[in-house]
Amino acid sequence: MYSTTVSDVGTVRSNNQDSSFAGEHLVAICDGMGGHAGGDTASTIAIRSLTHIESDSINGDVARATTILETSTLAAHDAIVGKAKRERKLAGMGTTITAIALVGDWWVLAHIGDSRAYLLRDGHLMRLTSDHSYVQHLIDTKRISEAEARNHPQRNVVMRVLGDFDIDARPDISIRRAQAGDRLLLCSDGLCGVLEDSTIEETMLHFTDREECAQFLVSMALKAGSTDNVTAVIADATLALDAEAFDVPHQTPVVGGAASANLNSLADILHEPVLSAPPLVGKSSPAERAAALVQQDSAPREPSAAQTVAQPSEVREDYGEIKDTDTGEIPVVHKSDGRYSADPNDPEVAAQIREAEIAQDERAHSRRFRGRVAAICTTVVVLALVALGIWGGYAWSQNRYYVGVADGQVALYQGMPTDIFGQPLSHVVQTYPDLDVSKLPSTSQNHATTKDEAEDTIEALREQQRQDEARQQAEEEAKEQARKEAEEQAKKQQEATDKPSATKSPEAKE
C-alpha cells in the first residue's frame, strides 16, 4: 500500500498533540490529550511503540499480527503511565490509537478512543471503528441523534484511551479482507468531528492523489470551524498476486504531527529513512502549492523542500552527523629525512596513527579499569557502612531493657521490642513466676529503657502486688471479725430471749 499524512495544529491550539504514521504496511493516527506538555508526548510514545510493525516480518500471519498490534498498544500504555509517574507535570496525559496493518490480503485494525478509520470501497464509504466516547454511547442508546452529537456539550469526553487513567487499555481488534483499490482514511476527531461522512466520501472519490486528498480534507475541516488539531492519513491498497515479482516503487514512511519532532528515533527503529509529513498547502509558499497541484501520479512523490528526511544511525555516522569517539585527525609527522607529512599512506604516519590508537585504547582501558575499581571500592565502603550501622544499631539495642510477657509470666527482656527481617532484636533475661501478669499495666509493657528502670518497674509491680495482697488479707480478716461479732451478738440476743420464757413457765401451770 502507498500512504501519506497531513497534520496541522489548527487555528486555536498552541501545539500539535496529534501524531500520525503512514507506511507501506502500517498506518496509524494518535490524538494526544493532557495539557500543553502531555498530549504530544503521549501520542509520540504511541507512534514509537507501533512503528516497528512497519518493518516486522509477519509473513502474512494474521493471528500474529493481531497479537503484535495489541501487545504494542498495551506497551504504549505502560510507557505513557511510566513516564507520567516519573514526571508529575505529565500526570493525566493520554492518547487515542487507531492503527491498521496490511497483512497479506487482510486489514488488521487496532482501535481505542475517538479517532476514526474509514474504508472507501467500490465507491462507498464505511466506518471501520466505533468511537469510545460519551456521545457515541448516547447515540448507541438512541438518546441523541448523530446531528445532535456534533453540538453536544460533552462531545469531547472520551470513555477509553491509553494513558494515565484507571480504565481498560485493551484496544478493539478487528480484521477485514483487503481488496485492490481499497482506500483508507484515518483521522483525528478534529476532522471527523466537523465533516459529515458524505462530505468525506465525496472528497475521497474526487481526489485520486493521496496527498491532495489529505490536504483538502484537513483544509475543509479547518474552514468548517474545527478548534482542534486536524490530522488525516490516506492509504491506497495496491495488492498483487505476487508483489515480490513486480518492481514497484518503494515508499519512505511519512510521520506527521508531534512525532515528527524527532524522526531520528523512528529511523533507528526501522533502519531506513523516515520523512516528515508535508505542510498544509494553504500554509506553504506559492511555489510549494503549485508543485503540489501538478503532481497527480499515484507513485510516491518526491519530498518537498519543507519536508525533513531522517536517516538511521548507521547512515548518520557515515556522514558524521553522530559524534564519533575517534576524532579521525591525522597527525603531522616530522619524518626522519626532515620532511613533514600527513599522508595516512606514509609508513611513518601510519605508525604514528597506530601508536595514537593504541594509546587511546590504553587510556580507555585505564578509564574503564579505574571506573570498575571505583565502583568496587564504593560498593565495599557502602556495604561496610551498612554493616557498621547494623552492628552499631544492634549493639545499642542490647543496652536497652523492657518488661514484657513470656509464656504467660512477667519477664525482663534485653534489647528492643521489634525485629528486622523476622529476626528479633531482644531475648528474655529473667522471668518472674511470682508476679501476676494481669497486674502488669499496659503502659509499662514493651517500653524500652535502661536496665535499672526496667528492674524498678518489676520491683514496683512486686510492691504493688504485696500491697494488694496485704489489703486483700486485711479485708478478709475484717470480714471474719465482723462475722464473729455478728454471731456473738446474735447468741446473746438468743439467750436474753430464752431466760424470761423459763421464769414464766410455773405460773402458767397454776
Side-chain angles (χ1 to χ4, degrees):
M1 98 180 139
Y2 292 123
S3 62
T4 191
T5 181
V6 174
S7 183
D8 191 77
V9 67
T11 59
V12 176
R13 300 293 181 89
S14 60
N15 67 328
N16 195 345
Q17 299 188 350
D18 290 353
S19 292
S20 56
F21 183 91
E24 291 183 332
H25 305 287
L26 173 73
V27 287
I29 171 72
C30 301
D31 184 355
M33 63 200 70
H36 181 79
D40 52 352
T41 301
S43 66
T44 299
I45 290 173
I47 288 295
R48 289 179 181 174
S49 181
L50 295 168
T51 297
H52 71 97
I53 300 173
E54 169 72 9
S55 58
D56 280 355
S57 179
I58 300 176
N59 297 324
D61 189 340
V62 175
R64 182 166 177 261
T66 58
T67 301
I68 291 175
L69 265 174
E70 181 175 12
T71 302
S72 299
T73 302
L74 294 176
H77 170 73
D78 293 342
I80 293 170
V81 172
K83 190 169 183 65
K85 288 182 178 179
R86 292 190 301 271
E87 302 180 33
R88 295 314 303 169
K89 67 178 182 179
L90 300 177
M93 71 173 176
T95 183
T96 69
I97 281 185
T98 301
I100 299 179
L102 179 60
V103 183
D105 55 354
W106 294 91
W107 299 117
V108 181
L109 184 148
H111 168 71
I112 185 169
D114 63 349
S115 300
R116 289 184 183 176
Y118 291 91
L119 172 62
L120 182 68
R121 176 179 290 175
D122 299 330
H124 299 288
L125 185 71
M126 64 185 78
R127 193 185 303 177
L128 300 181
T129 57
S130 178
D131 296 346
H132 297 142
S133 63
Y134 179 65
V135 294
Q136 185 62 47
H137 169 71
L138 296 179
I139 294 171
D140 294 340
T141 55
K142 304 189 183 305
R143 295 165 63 181
I144 62 173
S145 64
E146 290 274 0
E148 292 172 325
R150 293 193 180 279
N151 298 313
H152 195 279
Q154 293 177 301
R155 60 186 178 276
N156 294 325
V157 177
V158 185
M159 308 292 284
R160 288 174 56 197
V161 290
L162 297 186
D164 191 22
F165 310 99
D166 187 18
I167 54 179
D168 185 8
R170 288 172 297 180
D172 294 343
I173 302 292
S174 60
I175 61 173
R176 183 183 294 270
R177 186 172 291 278
Q179 295 181 9
D182 282 352
R183 169 167 281 192
L184 295 174
L185 165 65
L186 277 62
C187 61
S188 59
D189 64 335
L191 189 150
C192 57
V194 296
L195 298 183
E196 298 286 348
D197 287 1
S198 57
T199 303
I200 295 174
E201 179 183 71
E202 181 181 350
T203 303
M204 294 179 69
L205 286 170
H206 177 74
F207 293 97
T208 57
D209 181 76
R210 291 176 296 280
E211 184 176 322
E212 191 174 355
C213 181
Q215 292 273 1
F216 195 82
L217 285 170
V218 173
S219 297
M220 276 202 305
L222 294 175
K223 291 176 182 177
S226 178
T227 59
D228 203 350
N229 309 139
V230 183
T231 302
V233 180
I234 298 291
D236 290 330
T238 55
L239 303 175
L241 294 177
D242 186 5
E244 300 297 331
F246 295 86
D247 185 16
V248 294
H250 172 70
Q251 176 196 311
T252 300
V254 183
V255 180
S260 64
N262 187 358
L263 296 176
N264 288 343
S265 61
L266 301 179
D268 290 341
I269 293 172
L270 296 174
H271 301 289
E272 65 173 294
V274 176
L275 181 66
S276 66
L280 188 62
V281 169
K283 295 187 176 182
S284 56
S285 67
E288 289 172 340
R289 291 198 295 272
L293 291 174
V294 299
Q295 295 184 11
Q296 300 292 335
D297 58 299
S298 61
R301 64 177 65 201
E302 293 296 321
S304 69
Q307 293 177 265
T308 303
V309 179
Q311 300 289 346
S313 58
E314 52 267 25
V315 177
R316 300 199 304 273
E317 288 176 358
D318 292 341
Y319 284 91
E321 296 179 14
I322 294 180
K323 185 178 179 181
D324 192 355
T325 54
D326 181 8
T327 63
E329 294 180 355
I330 299 175
V332 178
V333 177
H334 189 192
K335 294 170 58 66
S336 57
D337 59 4
R339 294 185 299 110
Y340 289 91
S341 175
D343 181 4
N345 296 315
D346 187 296
E348 294 186 35
V349 175
Q352 186 72 23
I353 292 175
R354 284 195 299 272
E355 290 177 5
E357 291 175 346
I358 292 172
Q360 183 178 3
D361 290 342
E362 289 177 348
R363 287 193 298 270
H365 176 74
S366 177
R367 285 194 300 270
R368 289 194 298 269
F369 177 76
R370 289 196 302 270
R372 286 194 294 267
V373 171
I376 293 171
C377 292
T378 302
T379 302
V380 170
V381 170
V382 170
L383 292 176
L385 291 175
V386 170
L388 182 62
I390 293 174
W391 179 85
Y394 178 77
W396 175 83
S397 71
Q398 298 309 297
N399 290 324
R400 312 298 290 174
Y401 291 81
Y402 66 92
V403 179
V405 178
D407 298 329
Q409 296 179 351
V410 176
L412 177 64
Y413 284 84
Q414 181 182 10
M416 298 293 292
T418 186
D419 63 78
I420 297 180
F421 304 116
Q423 297 298 319
L425 296 181
S426 63
H427 61 277
V428 175
V429 176
Q430 184 178 352
T431 58
Y432 302 89
D434 59 313
L435 297 181
D436 187 357
V437 173
S438 63
K439 302 296 184 180
L440 180 63
S442 59
T443 55
S444 299
Q445 296 186 42
N446 301 331
H447 177 65
T449 181
T450 63
K451 184 177 182 180
D452 291 341
E453 291 180 355
E455 290 177 342
D456 288 345
T457 299
I458 292 174
E459 287 303 320
L461 177 62
R462 179 176 284 112
E463 180 61 28
Q464 182 65 39
Q465 184 170 317
R466 281 198 297 265
Q467 292 178 3
D468 291 343
E469 290 174 353
R471 184 170 53 253
Q472 183 178 2
Q473 183 177 359
E475 289 176 355
E476 291 177 354
E477 290 177 353
K479 290 180 181 179
E480 181 64 23
Q481 182 64 28
R483 184 184 63 79
K484 289 181 178 180
E485 290 178 355
E487 289 179 354
E488 184 67 27
Q489 186 66 26
K491 183 178 180 182
K492 289 180 180 181
Q493 290 178 355
Q494 183 66 36
E495 290 177 352
T497 302
D498 291 343
K499 185 178 292 185
S501 299
T503 308
K504 294 179 180 180
S505 293
E507 294 179 356
K509 289 180 181 179
E510 292 179 0

